[in-house]
Amino acid sequence: MAALVPPPPPTTAADTTQKPKEDEKVDYFNLPCPIPYEEIHREALMSLKPELFEGMRFDFTKGLNQRFSLSHSVFMGPMEVPSQSPETIKIPTAHYEFGANFIDPKLMLFGRIMTDGRLNARVKCDLSENLTLKANSQLTNEPHMSHGMVNFDYKGKDYRSQFQLGNGALFGANYIQSVTPHLSLGGEVFWAGQHRKSGIGYAARYNTDKMVATGQVASTGMVALSYVQKVSEKVSLASDFMYNYMSRDVTASFGYDYILRQCRLRGKIDSNGTVAAFLEERLNMGLNFVLSAEIDHRKKDYKFGFGLTVGE
Amino acid sequence: MAAQARKGGISLPERRNPKKDDEGVIAKFSQSQVVVRGKQAANDAAFVTKKLMKSTGKAAWIAGTTFLILVVPLIIAMDREQQLNELELQQANILGTSAPPPK
């Protein structure tokens, strides 16, 4: 996949990485802080996994004051129902979601409630300079579908660690450490008491101004590799490869992410025969128009959607 | 044939062989090796062409729709970006040239 990417043209600095330029001699006591373990695929996911949808959506966010805002969103369209048969079954649905956000530098609270009875709450709170508490919970009216999760993140000078607690006796911990200014390595362990499962995983990430390469393996049989090349400030090309040893699923995908003055366009093609594009067009200040298209040639499943985002 | 008849089954009277001698020229020709083979070849060719056409059509459809989804929006977006850039350049030119020398 990497061979598909053309060599980078000499462009001015792409300043998405946060590290200062260091001299040739590497100061190993002054390494930059890595990005969190769960976000190591961030760049690849940004280009390869846009929020594709089918139908119509309308999102409206209204800020009441500096810190408090309310959001309303309406979605109408077919919803896929999971089934055993190879062809997908879709039923038309419509729902409304009401949300309230409180954003403060030290404390963030998000709440969402949907008309079908789902409630989602998120908290992010900086307990001290380095310690952050994140909580996420989802309540539904169906039994056994409610989740809760609490994360404690500790950010060190050149490392980050996280401890996770979830319902169903889920415990997890991960740690990521910068090894050189560009390379960071990490590992994780988890234990799910309810399902009597445990596992470990390792991850590596190499990033420079022009490219990001990541690799992750876990004892669940998952192997994920990704590569993102920033061709210029506006364009980045991404590819990823997923392999699951247990289910023998292999997926490779290739995508582009083009940020223009008035729009952002993301396109993706993958080895399952799926082609997708996602266009976000800025019509006016605070008014965005979204178009989403996804074609699955193999399943003959075609999804098209449009939406409007107002506010923010 | 004889063995079959002896087994007890009803066998058709062997009319073919004696008739073979007094067949017409056209029948003879149509039953000749060359023509039979030719026919078969033509049939095969037609079948393969049909299949080929079908798969080519399918491939063209997939390629076309993929192009429509992936590339056409990109072209439109880039084209508009260029137009915007040109417009801006023009405006800058007009402003830049008109401002210093007041004619």
Side-chain angles (χ1 to χ4, degrees):
Chain A
M1 266 306 185
L4 287 174
V5 179
T11 48
T12 49
D15 51 350
T16 41
T17 45
Q18 66 279 20
K19 53 177 65 95
K21 277 267 179 235
E22 266 162 323
D23 291 337
E24 271 141 61
K25 195 141 197 288
V26 178
D27 182 5
Y28 283 104
F29 293 101
N30 198 11
L31 294 172
C33 189
I35 70 166
Y37 187 86
E38 48 193 2
E39 289 181 24
I40 58 162
H41 298 299
R42 187 165 60 185
E43 283 86 357
L45 290 182
M46 282 280 269
S47 340
L48 293 171
K49 301 265 183 327
E51 280 180 51
L52 297 165
F53 61 95
E54 182 177 16
M56 188 282 282
R57 65 188 301 165
F58 180 79
D59 298 290
F60 177 68
T61 309
K62 174 101 178 87
L64 293 180
N65 60 34
Q66 284 257 309
R67 291 173 180 174
F68 198 67
S69 62
L70 294 178
S71 74
H72 309 267
S73 69
V74 176
F75 173 81
M76 287 180 190
M79 200 71 123
E80 255 174 60
V81 179
S83 68
Q84 265 78 29
S85 65
E87 66 228 56
T88 49
I89 300 167
K90 290 178 181 176
I91 50 165
T93 53
H95 58 74
Y96 165 73
E97 189 186 283
F98 173 74
N101 311 321
F102 177 81
I103 298 171
D104 188 70
K106 285 252 185 255
L107 177 69
M108 282 200 251
L109 303 168
F110 300 96
R112 295 268 178 284
I113 186 154
M114 281 214 238
T115 44
D116 58 1
R118 268 187 287 169
L119 174 74
N120 199 326
R122 276 190 295 154
V123 180
K124 185 171 180 279
C125 174
D126 290 344
L127 296 175
S128 74
E129 188 88 337
N130 289 335
L131 190 67
T132 307
L133 168 83
K134 274 193 245 171
N136 197 336
S137 72
Q138 193 178 17
L139 300 173
T140 58
N141 47 11
E142 298 163 55
H144 309 298
M145 291 297 280
S146 302
H147 299 286
M149 187 105 175
V150 180
N151 295 356
F152 292 95
D153 291 29
Y154 186 79
K155 175 175 174 270
K157 199 162 142 276
D158 57 358
Y159 67 91
R160 273 174 199 267
S161 58
Q162 187 184 51
F163 185 67
Q164 302 176 320
L165 283 170
N167 72 326
L170 177 73
F171 298 98
N174 60 53
Y175 179 82
I176 187 161
Q177 165 87 49
S178 288
V179 181
T180 71
H182 296 304
L183 182 70
S184 47
L185 298 173
E188 65 169 339
V189 286
F190 66 88
W191 185 68
Q194 202 173 42
H195 303 286
R196 307 233 162 257
K197 268 187 199 162
S198 62
I200 54 169
Y202 300 100
R205 176 185 161 99
Y206 185 83
N207 61 346
T208 64
D209 293 345
K210 292 279 185 317
M211 54 79 88
V212 179
T214 60
Q216 190 179 9
V217 286
S219 62
T220 51
M222 191 252 315
V223 178
L225 307 171
S226 74
Y227 181 83
V228 179
Q229 174 86 41
K230 289 171 196 133
V231 178
S232 72
E233 269 175 74
K234 290 174 175 175
V235 191
S236 62
L237 298 172
S239 63
D240 86 334
F241 174 81
M242 287 277 269
Y243 175 59
N244 196 319
Y245 184 77
M246 298 296 171
S247 57
R248 307 261 160 184
D249 281 343
V250 187
T251 318
S253 51
F254 175 77
Y256 64 80
D257 187 348
Y258 208 117
I259 300 169
L260 293 155
R261 206 176 311 175
Q262 286 196 320
C263 69
R264 178 173 187 188
L265 181 61
R266 280 175 272 184
K268 176 195 98 159
I269 181 161
D270 77 9
S271 62
N272 288 340
T274 312
V275 184
F278 192 76
L279 173 76
E280 288 161 281
E281 172 98 34
R282 206 176 75 199
L283 298 175
N284 215 330
M285 263 308 280
L287 180 64
N288 288 315
F289 182 62
V290 185
L291 277 176
S292 154
E294 188 179 10
I295 289 185
D296 192 331
H297 288 299
R298 196 165 292 172
K299 281 196 241 161
K300 295 216 164 32
D301 183 14
Y302 311 121
K303 295 178 189 166
F304 296 94
F306 70 97
L308 212 56
T309 309
V310 185
E312 279 179 292
Chain B
M1 274 296 181
Q4 264 184 358
R6 221 181 291 143
K7 265 181 191 165
I10 300 160
S11 67
L12 287 168
E14 294 184 8
R15 221 182 273 164
R16 276 256 165 96
N17 282 349
K19 218 184 177 183
K20 208 176 181 180
D21 292 335
D22 48 65
E23 269 177 348
V25 184
I26 296 166
K28 225 178 201 173
F29 177 72
S30 73
Q31 275 175 7
S32 76
Q33 277 290 308
V34 181
V35 173
V36 168
R37 270 205 201 146
K39 255 188 191 167
Q40 217 163 31
N43 265 342
D44 285 354
F47 180 72
V48 168
T49 337
K50 214 165 133 189
K51 274 248 163 148
L52 214 65
M53 292 272 273
K54 238 181 183 171
S55 54
T56 318
K58 216 169 170 182
W61 165 254
I62 288 175
T65 45
T66 303
F67 181 81
L68 203 68
I69 294 287
L70 277 186
V71 187
V72 172
L74 191 67
I75 292 171
I76 293 169
M78 281 166 86
D79 191 48
R80 223 190 32 188
E81 179 85 352
Q82 211 173 12
Q83 271 180 11
L84 268 172
N85 274 344
E86 267 168 31
L87 205 78
E88 208 165 67
L89 211 73
Q90 250 176 26
Q91 265 173 357
N93 263 341
I94 290 164
L95 287 173
T97 47
S98 62
K103 279 174 192 173

